[in-house]
Amino acid sequence: TGIITDRIFLDSDDVNKLDAIIEVCAWDCENVVVIMTSETLKRMWCAAEIASAHAGQGNVVLVSCDGNGFTDELLQMLPE
């Protein structure tokens, strides 16, 4: 096996450069993994990061957590 040399960006509650996070999600990420909780889309910056990753043609992977309030029907409507 080889050594993985890809960089990983872990978003957190660090709010020093919020505008830069949007740019990172749009243009510097090949894959964005979103932990979908009941609070995820209620947070403006989370929604903006998801939208910018999608607009930047990145792969957006949604991980659905129990109790998040999203129905299977809603999740099926999301673009692939």
Side-chain angles (χ1 to χ4, degrees):
T1 63
I3 297 174
I4 298 172
T5 59
D6 293 338
R7 296 178 307 148
I8 296 175
F9 169 75
L10 175 62
D11 192 2
S12 64
D13 289 333
D14 183 6
V15 294
N16 291 327
K17 297 182 179 178
L18 290 174
D19 56 334
I21 292 172
I22 302 302
E23 293 295 318
V24 167
C25 288
W27 308 115
D28 294 336
C29 292
E30 292 179 34
N31 302 292
V32 174
V33 178
V34 182
I35 308 300
M36 298 298 291
T37 68
S38 61
E39 297 296 314
T40 302
L41 295 179
K42 293 178 183 176
R43 298 174 185 265
M44 177 181 64
W45 290 107
C46 292
E49 291 168 15
I50 296 165
S52 67
H54 179 69
Q57 304 297 310
N59 298 311
V60 179
V61 179
L62 304 178
V63 178
S64 181
C65 296
D66 286 342
N68 64 17
F70 300 109
T71 63
D72 288 338
E73 181 181 351
L74 173 65
L75 295 175
Q76 294 294 326
M77 292 172 31
L78 297 173
E80 294 187 21

